[in-house]
């Protein structure tokens, strides 16, 4: 668009507020990831193992993006709040898996066998916890009524993220755990 000399277009109002919200949400997301990582570092007494657990977050974000696309829901403040909540929920399944794997390894079980046993033994608690969350979110995501517009984006976000993170965490996190453990072993040998 060509404007006469002395005129310019400035975006303000809602657009300006949306830009500020996006910047603050990206900062908040990064802060949440950092805090979750630091808590897990303290819990596992390792800087590397929490990285395997954090790989459950991208698995959840895959589900979020697919679900938002399929439902035609926009990435709003409420859906972003759902993403922040999802970070905590997604890592819970991975923590159950890695923690039990570590316990088995401390009792003398070989790494590969410990990963397989942990996946087998922790499958039921992971599925039960995730399914109760998913089933609890279904009515909020599907039913329309008073206040639907304010609740639906966060529940749709949580629903999609929980579905993919639950199943992909069971596959991807053990693989990352194994890779990271090999890297840690190589680092220890060098020192």
């Amino acid at each position: 668009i060509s404007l006469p000399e002395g005129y310019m277009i400035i975006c303000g109002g809602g657009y300006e507020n949306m830009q500020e919200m996006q910047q603050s949400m990206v900062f908040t997301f990064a802060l949440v990831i950092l805090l979750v990582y630091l808590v897990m570092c303290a819990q596992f007494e390792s800087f590397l193992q929490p990285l395997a657990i954090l790989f459950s977050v991208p698995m959840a974000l895959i589900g979020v993006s697919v679900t938002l696309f399929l439902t035609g829901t926009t990435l709003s403040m409420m859906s972003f709040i759902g993403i922040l909540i999802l970070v905590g929920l997604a890592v819970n399944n991975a923590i159950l898996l890695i923690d039990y794997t570590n316990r088995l390894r401390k009792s003398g079980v070989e790494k590969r066998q410990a990963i397989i046993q942990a996946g087998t033994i922790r499958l039921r608690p992971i599925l039960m916890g995730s399914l109760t969350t998913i089933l609890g979110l279904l009515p909020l995501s599907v039913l329309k009524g008073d206040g639907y517009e304010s609740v639906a984006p966060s529940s749709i976000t949580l629903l999609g993220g929980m579905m993919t993170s639950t199943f992909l965490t069971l596959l991807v996190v053990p693989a990352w755990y194994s890779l990271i453990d090999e890297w840690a072993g190589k680092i220890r040998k060098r020192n």
Side-chain angles (χ1 to χ4, degrees), residues 113-125:
Q113 191 60 35
I115 291 171
I116 293 169
Q117 280 183 349
T120 305
I121 293 169
R122 289 297 182 199
L123 177 65
R124 185 171 178 227

Side-chain angles (χ1 to χ4, degrees), residues 28-42 54 87:
T28 305
F29 183 74
L31 186 62
V32 165
I33 294 290
L34 177 67
L35 291 174
V36 166
Y37 175 73
L38 292 175
V39 167
M40 288 188 299
C41 284
L54 283 180
V87 170

Side-chain angles (χ1 to χ4, degrees), residues 81-147:
I81 289 171
I83 291 172
L84 295 177
I85 295 168
L86 187 59
V87 170
L89 292 173
V91 299
N92 282 342
N93 294 337
I95 288 171
L96 280 172
L97 207 54
I98 300 297
D99 184 52
Y100 198 73
T101 303
N102 286 341
R103 282 192 212 166
L104 288 172
R105 290 187 69 194
K106 285 179 184 172
S107 68
V109 179
E110 184 262 328
K111 178 178 72 174
R112 182 176 166 80
Q113 191 60 35
I115 291 171
I116 293 169
Q117 280 183 349
T120 305
I121 293 169
R122 289 297 182 199
L123 177 65
R124 185 171 178 227
I126 288 171
L127 288 179
M128 286 174 57
S130 295
L131 285 175
T132 55
T133 304
I134 290 168
L135 293 174
L137 289 167
L138 269 175
L140 293 171
S141 303
V142 176
L143 299 178
K144 303 206 184 277
D146 293 338

Side-chain angles (χ1 to χ4, degrees), residues 55-74:
F55 276 102
S56 62
V57 174
M59 303 303 110
L61 294 179
I62 291 170
V64 168
S65 55
V66 169
T67 307
L68 290 178
F69 176 75
L70 291 176
T71 60
T73 307
T74 60

